[in-house]
Amino acid sequence: MIEIQNLVKHYGGVKAVNNISFTVEKGEVLGFLGPNGAGKSTTMNILTGYLSASSGTVKIAGFDILLNPQEAKRHIGYLPENPPLYLDMTVQEYLRFVCDLKGVKKHEQTRQLAEIMKLARVSDVAGRLIKNLSKGYRQRVGIAQALVGNPEVLVLDEPTVGLDPKQIIEIRNLIKDLGKKHTVILSSHILTEVKAVCDRVVIINQGTIAAIDTPEGLSRQMARANKLSMTAEGPARVIIEKLRQLTGVRDIAVLAEKAGNLTVFEIELEPETEARKPIFFEMARQGWPIIEFKSLDPTLEEIFLQVTSASPEGKKG
């Protein structure tokens, strides 16, 4: 549905986007992440036709955004971080205005707007001025305008920024619903949100793609550091001394102490090393019961920090 090939964007002598390529399949919800200045906003602006690329191609539903901009844009609904709302219009007036801009035929507007307002959950405020709506409702109106014309692709830039927790949950659920019928690119700094709603994640850093996979796949990739969590009964200091002597154990530290002489340890293994059996046998030999033993997969936040740690300050994005 979306094809980005060898995309490059220069700002003077700065290469904000540096030869990136990825695709988004029909019906997929893709999380697009990156620190400030990574090139994320530039990529999204090129994708939606607001900027031209220095080189490379972007195709939406098979149409090149540069060579066939009208056809390509017809397949895109865009919610910028600050929705382009006319505050002195009512919700219904504004959405009808957007219908006119997008060329929705007059005889189809009433039916389409009724469906969109129901989906975006703004039917109950259709007659109210937008300036009198809460931030959460304004975001919903912004999503509604992106849905006008029934585009196959939705590009949502920070759709929950500035919302309270209840509003965030509501918008998040709405995005999940939209993902059932649309291809969605979601830009967000709320990593729990990305993990909750996205099928895959692209992380961009310094203008290039730093990682691309499912959230679960990224966790598996980053888990190669081989970290384990072990809850055991016994003298913590002595356990640490004994286990550090085992081949393959790089380090061990106390994560928490619990009642009943229980301690939670974090054990870091050498790369490509399997030391679970030696640890188990040593603990059994010493008579120290293991209550829990499991791999420690990194969180999406940890993955994000790891792959973007080299991001320079002040780079244009």
Side-chain angles (χ1 to χ4, degrees):
M1 182 55 66
I2 302 172
E3 300 175 56
I4 296 176
Q5 293 292 329
N6 306 119
L7 192 65
V8 175
K9 178 62 179 179
H10 295 277
Y11 289 106
V14 177
K15 191 177 283 186
V17 177
N18 186 9
N19 197 39
I20 69 171
S21 301
F22 64 90
T23 60
V24 189
E25 301 299 329
K26 185 175 182 179
E28 185 176 25
V29 180
L30 181 82
F32 194 49
L33 309 178
N36 292 333
K40 174 169 56 70
S41 296
T42 296
T43 302
M44 294 185 75
N45 283 330
I46 294 172
L47 172 66
T48 52
Y50 283 79
L51 280 178
S52 60
S54 300
S55 62
T57 60
V58 174
K59 291 183 179 180
I60 310 295
F63 297 99
D64 191 298
I65 194 72
L66 180 63
L67 300 179
N68 297 286
Q70 284 190 318
E71 278 298 323
K73 289 179 182 180
R74 191 170 62 83
H75 293 272
I76 302 173
Y78 181 36
L79 174 69
E81 184 174 343
N82 297 306
L85 305 178
Y86 289 90
L87 302 183
D88 289 326
M89 287 183 173
T90 66
V91 172
Q92 189 155 8
E93 287 171 346
Y94 170 69
L95 293 177
R96 198 169 288 277
F97 170 68
V98 175
C99 281
D100 291 336
L101 288 179
K102 291 190 175 183
V104 178
K105 295 177 180 179
K106 291 290 185 181
H107 69 275
E108 295 179 355
Q109 290 186 9
T110 299
R111 176 192 56 80
Q112 187 174 132
L113 288 183
E115 292 176 356
I116 288 171
M117 287 191 290
K118 181 179 179 180
L119 181 59
R121 298 166 194 154
V122 294
S123 301
D124 55 332
V125 295
R128 292 180 58 182
L129 293 175
I130 294 174
K131 67 181 179 182
N132 295 330
L133 299 180
S134 68
K135 173 74 172 175
Y137 266 110
R138 291 187 189 186
Q139 286 295 92
R140 291 191 204 176
V141 174
I143 292 174
Q145 66 80 27
L147 288 167
V148 169
N150 193 31
E152 296 166 271
V153 175
L154 294 175
V155 180
L156 309 178
D157 191 2
E158 300 287 350
T160 61
V161 66
L163 303 184
D164 64 38
K166 182 175 182 295
Q167 293 168 335
I168 288 174
I169 292 172
E170 291 172 349
I171 296 297
R172 190 179 295 172
N173 289 336
L174 174 56
I175 293 169
K176 286 181 181 179
D177 289 342
L178 294 175
K180 296 173 183 176
K181 295 183 178 180
H182 301 266
T183 300
V184 180
I185 292 185
L186 169 67
S187 166
S188 176
H189 282 96
I190 304 174
L191 300 185
T192 52
E193 178 173 273
V194 171
K195 188 171 183 178
V197 304
C198 294
D199 303 309
R200 276 194 309 147
V201 178
V202 171
I203 301 177
I204 186 172
N205 188 43
Q206 302 181 67
T208 64
I209 292 177
I212 180 166
D213 206 335
T214 64
E216 296 77 16
L218 286 173
S219 291
R220 286 194 298 270
Q221 287 183 44
M222 300 303 170
R224 288 173 185 162
N226 268 352
K227 284 190 176 181
L228 307 173
S229 170
M230 180 182 74
T231 302
E233 181 181 343
R237 182 180 60 82
V238 182
I239 290 174
I240 289 174
E241 289 176 358
K242 289 290 184 181
L243 296 190
R244 276 181 175 163
Q245 297 173 20
L246 298 178
T247 300
V249 174
R250 173 180 285 180
D251 198 11
I252 179 170
V254 172
L255 285 181
E257 295 179 347
K258 297 185 175 183
N261 199 27
L262 294 179
T263 305
V264 183
F265 300 93
E266 181 181 271
I267 305 171
E268 184 176 350
L269 308 181
E270 296 291 347
E272 308 301 327
T273 298
E274 178 51 70
R276 290 171 176 82
K277 285 184 179 179
I279 291 171
F280 176 82
F281 288 131
E282 179 63 24
M283 294 293 289
R285 190 173 71 84
Q286 297 291 342
W288 299 323
I290 296 175
I291 309 303
E292 185 181 56
F293 204 20
K294 63 182 181 180
S295 295
L296 281 178
D297 291 332
T299 65
L300 192 56
E301 286 84 354
E302 290 170 332
I303 295 167
F304 180 82
L305 290 173
Q306 185 171 338
V307 301
T308 62
S309 59
S311 179
E313 291 296 321
K315 190 172 181 180
K316 188 172 180 64

